[in-house]
Amino acid sequence: MGVQRPTRASSAGVRKSMQGNKSRGTKPELALRRAVHALGLRYRVSMRPLPKVRRTADLVFTKAKVAVFMDGCFWHGCPEHHTKSATNAAYWAEKVERNRERDAETDGLLRDAGWSVIRIWEHEDTNEAASKIARAVHQRRAL
């Protein structure tokens, strides 16, 4: 991790853009929440499945122990849609790689604790993703 983190945005436009990036309540996340809710499932939003681990899942089904993460294509390095940043490319490449490593570590920690982990890319079909989540929750509840 030898790339030095910039101390400020490279321009006013970049600063405004970065301030506009939301960590929760994004359009894809809201659409997924509506679709899952429409299937009759109830969940917690932006919760730590493991209270002692500082990782927040987007949807959490506590009794079924299912944690759902909606990953953005840029931030989590989608193999189909990830684009390389034109500015501070080395920094952003390292940032995305760290995100990927943290995602894998989070998945492992949750699985070791008996959780089922579902990762949904922001570009995935919302209804298909909701059905996938519903199947997992119903399957875990049947155990």
Side-chain angles (χ1 to χ4, degrees), residues 5 8 13 15 22 28 30-31 45 51-52 56 61 65-67 72 87 97 105 108 110 113 120-121 126 128 135:
R5 181 179 179 172
R8 60 181 50 170
R15 179 178 171 78
K22 301 191 310 188
L30 292 174
V45 177
K52 293 183 180 182
T56 304
F61 300 86
K65 291 183 106 174
V66 174
T87 309
E97 185 57 34
E105 180 187 27
L110 287 168
I120 307 289
W121 288 109
T126 303
E128 288 178 22
R135 281 191 303 275

Side-chain angles (χ1 to χ4, degrees), residues 93-112:
E94 187 175 298
K95 169 76 172 153
V96 170
E97 185 57 34
R98 285 193 321 261
N99 287 348
R100 286 176 173 169
E101 290 168 0
R102 187 183 63 243
D103 291 346
E105 180 187 27
T106 300
D107 293 354
L109 290 169
L110 287 168
R111 287 192 178 110
D112 290 347

